[in-house]
Amino acid sequence: MATTRSAHTVWEGNLLEGSGVVNFDSSGAIEAQPVTWASRSQDANGKTSPEELIAAAHSSCFSMALSHALNGAGTPPTKLVTSADVSFQPGEGITGIHLTVEGTVPGLDEDGFLAAANDAKANCPVSQALKAVPITLDAKLA
């Protein structure tokens, strides 16, 4: 079954001095979040950015894909802790994404875990959508 998820942003003012609010329409699970150019290109100061939202999407999608692959191989994970770091350079855009995952997977060795993690990195839907950006990975067992 296909699904569509929605969010919207209300932006007021110009890029450098303006501000916006991101609203999570589909679930309402996250309160509306403020966003500014400064929170994107400098310190976050309690506001989000498109890159932070991409990092959240990528870390969760990757974790789901890796969990599914490990389970399908007969070695379901007990725990996966995934971080995504999305780099942004003003004037260039998003320059890279680095995924880090540490897993507790009974019955699986380091090589098997790394192979599964690399497959999840290449094939999770968010990775597929972000193919234009270099994606790197560090993976290890806990």
Side-chain angles (χ1 to χ4, degrees):
M1 170 201 261
T3 60
T4 300
R5 300 294 183 252
S6 302
H8 79 276
T9 299
V10 177
W11 185 269
E12 296 179 355
N14 66 36
L15 175 63
L16 298 179
E17 297 163 3
S19 63
V21 177
V22 180
N23 297 273
F24 300 86
D25 301 333
S26 299
S27 68
I30 302 170
E31 290 184 28
Q33 295 296 310
V35 62
T36 63
W37 173 252
S39 69
R40 184 177 197 184
S41 62
Q42 300 168 26
D43 291 328
N45 290 321
K47 297 174 180 74
T48 195
S49 69
E51 291 72 30
E52 184 177 40
L53 298 171
I54 290 170
H58 206 174
S59 68
S60 60
C61 182
F62 172 87
S63 295
M64 289 179 196
L66 181 54
S67 175
H68 181 67
L70 291 168
N71 189 63
T75 53
T78 304
K79 184 177 185 179
L80 299 171
V81 179
T82 305
S83 297
D85 299 310
V86 178
S87 299
F88 175 76
Q89 177 64 44
E92 290 181 45
I94 296 173
T95 57
I97 300 170
H98 184 71
L99 297 169
T100 304
V101 63
E102 182 173 278
T104 304
V105 188
L108 188 64
D109 65 13
E110 201 78 36
D111 289 339
F113 184 68
L114 185 56
N118 274 307
D119 186 63
K121 175 187 78 116
N123 295 303
C124 88
V126 171
S127 289
Q128 288 290 307
L130 299 171
K131 280 190 211 182
V133 178
I135 301 171
T136 57
L137 171 69
D138 285 327
K140 67 179 184 175
L141 290 171

